[in-house]
Amino acid sequence: MSHIIILFSLTLHCLNYVDGDKNIGAIFDDGTFLLESAFKVALAAASEGQDDPFGGTVVKTSPGDILETESAFCSLLENNIFGVLGPTVQGPLQHVQSITDSLEMPQMIIKPEVSQNRNWSTVNLYPHHIAYSQIFADIIQMKSWTEFTIIYEGAELLPFLDNIITMQNTNSGEKILMNLVQLPDGDDFRFQLKTVKSSGSLNYLINCSLKTLPLLLEQAQQVGIMSDDHSYLIMNPDFQTVDISPHKHGGSNITGIRLFDPSLESIQTFITSLNEKVVELSEGQIENAIADDALTLDLALVYDAVILYTSAVNAMELEEGANVTCEDNESWEFGSSVINYIRTMEIDGLTGIIKFDEDGLRSDFEVDILEVMAHGFEKVGTWSLEDGYTETRTVIPPTEQEGSDSMKGKHFLILTALSAPYGMLRESAKKLEGNARYEGFGIELIEELAKMNEFNYTFDIQADGVYGSYNPKTKKWNGMMEKIMDGRADFAITDLTITSARQKAVDFTSPFMNLGITILYKKPTKEPPNLFSFISPFSSGVWSWLAGAFVGVSVLLFVLGRLAPEEWQNPYPCIEEPETLDNQFTLANSFWFTLGSVLTQGSEIAPIAVSTRMAGSMWWFFTLIMVSSYTANLAAFLTVESKFYAITSVQDLANNPYGITYGAKKGGATFSFFKESDNLLYQKMYHYMDDHPEYQTATNDEGLERVKSETEKYAFLMESTSIEYMVERNCDVARVGGLLDSKGYGIAMKKNSPYRQPMSESILQLQEEGKLIRMKDKWWKEKRGGGVCQDDDVGGGDAQPLVLANVGGVFIVLAAGCGLAVLCAFLEMLFDVWMISHRMKISFKDEIIAELKFILSFSGDTKPVRHREPSGSGSRSSKKDKEDSGEAESIGDNRLDPAPTPRSERSSHSHHTLHSRRQSNAVQMARMRKYSGRSIL
Ligand code: GLU
């Protein structure tokens, strides 16, 4: 049956020959020409200068197909081979191994094979796993890792961790903590990497295939574990062939090894020959299969295996190959001798010195230790079994680019919080991944900064929204601050306030936004119209001053009326020589006069004297202005809707007049402001908030919801920029009062970070270019429903009562006018007294004393006429007439009469008018005597 299968299988693979006298077989996977080309290049190199060149028979099998591989191997035996190379896949390899062992057919292996037995006919050029693991154990010791996570791909790689897993302490005696994480099948390792990240581990030992490695590094970058604080140790020997450019500026320390230096001439010659061979085998379809720096270990090992084996055959001068078959159970008589000989050999191959220990294992080899630098790979040391790790690193002086270009190409983990509009989840019908999941002001700002400084970044969300405050009891920071300080994130951006306490723990960039603390509360409610709103146009102060002015001017008019001689009038115009004179400015009349003009109604009273007219006109002017101002402001009050403001300032809030509770974000900068303030009012508010932790919120949004709540009277102390954002979208809330302080938001980073300066410079540049303000308008006013409340208050506004400052000027004018009127009244009085004293030839002093006594007695509105003209002389006017015509006039009694006697009329009427009036008075008096029969004098 097995024969049938073998025959059947033989039809499935084809043999490929290289002419030569000494034939070596090789079993490779179907698919690539590389291994086959390497084999043929090596045979050519081994045959160079040989009389009996080596030939080869290559058979290709489907990867992992054990039966096909067995038949392939058996068919190789028919070619009288000296030995076999391969296969390269684990299952078939072990199967063929058991056959070669029984046939004592030397087998060269180039793949890790942990179950290799020293007695088997196998020689493995791949470094032995125990020695291999020792390389990394030594590097870990050298790096003094006290914790690390081993990330490995398949269980078959576990033996390569032998010497690492058994490590207990560092060289300095510190305990080493290690985690093991196995990568799943497939190509998504993000979940495992996130777990590693959340464990807080910063050092990673990676053992995975060459195919997986770039993917893993890329996903590590996405997850955010590729920053300055993370270190990687890569176990794959082909690490140097990976395209490391996405990670070389990322800041992480990435270390690996190599078994050969690709820049060596022997390697470059091999690569050239290899590429030529691939072109030949693929009939020109594949060109430049291998780049100058992309030679993998398996190809170099194929070459070394052929050289090693052919050297042994040459040295042993074997002429005949093994004439054995799978069917006969006979073994090759020289087989074990060849194996033993090889194990004693030492040659210089592409992969360094090739030699084997007493167990036939390649334990003694030398590797270069590489580190990823900004310019690519750099050899920093060597490792050999004998010497262990030897550092060869040359200290490179910082390049001139360090500083402004120091962020170029690096990858940073940026911490943010879901706080609108700084960081928000992007709304999308599609499932988004990575940074595309977030948007907002902070996200856009980082995009801009990344463009300017050419860095890469991954966002990470602070799930609990805690920005960070210091706990003096535990002496620890929490939230985002803690992560920045611990190096679990490179930058933190959100509405993160720069405070003095935080500045001591981390570095901040220049502020990208300025703000202050203020109050968020429900919009003021509309008040029902006020029945007494007519009082509102003037403040109570103005009303009091107005009342004062009214009383003052009224009294003044009363006094002026008494002072001014013109105001004393003959009550009966028909009597030429009245005994008394009347004054219209009685106290009551004075009040009536002023009231009439205030109410714009007028009165029958008309001032006669200059002084009273002056005071009266000033009062009219005053009332004109006051009434106009009142009317204008009343119109404003009647059109403006009056609103009820429960609180208008932080003082109101602290006094808590309507049972309004208040709070701030827990552990936030606002809360800290009240805590740290030495202002008594703010201290009082801090104690209130501290005593009522239930009024503190976890986020600003929670604060907003409480403010909006119908069931609660709650005011939220918050930062003005966030309030601006909220009132744009929530029309039922408003900002109350002014700013309590002034501060800014900045991007936080580790203390003494070299990135502070370039980031600050870029922020200032964005500010100067006006980009920051445009971004703010976009995220505040346009995006996510901004601007819905914009027109809410149109037609609103607030009418304010007029205060003294608005109308004070008119009071001054009134006062000045009144002063002038008083002066005028005195002059009038003095003049009049002087005239009388002169005319009556009496003492001016006596007359003025008598006049003042009368005035200041304030007794009634009737004044007796003290100085009468001699009889028949007529009125003062007629006397004046006489004086004017040059007639001398005898002077009557110049003393105050015990019985008042009529006094001439002293009106200011014109001479002509007086004359005619005198005539009509005389007629009138005659009539009155006739009819009444009694004297009115
Ligand atoms: N911006 C504040 C902070 O950085 C949070 C909000 C607040 O306290 O009002 O802590």
Side-chain angles (χ1 to χ4, degrees), residues 879-887:
K879 182 179 73 187
K880 197 167 184 275
D881 292 345
K882 284 173 195 166
E883 276 170 5
D884 291 347
S885 59
E887 280 181 42

Side-chain angles (χ1 to χ4, degrees), residues 556 559-560 563-565 610-612 614-615 815-831:
L556 185 80
V559 174
L560 290 182
L563 272 177
V610 174
S611 53
T612 46
M614 191 179 284
C818 291
L820 216 59
V822 171
L823 189 69
C824 214
F826 269 106
L827 290 177
E828 279 178 299
M829 186 201 71
L830 290 176
F831 179 71

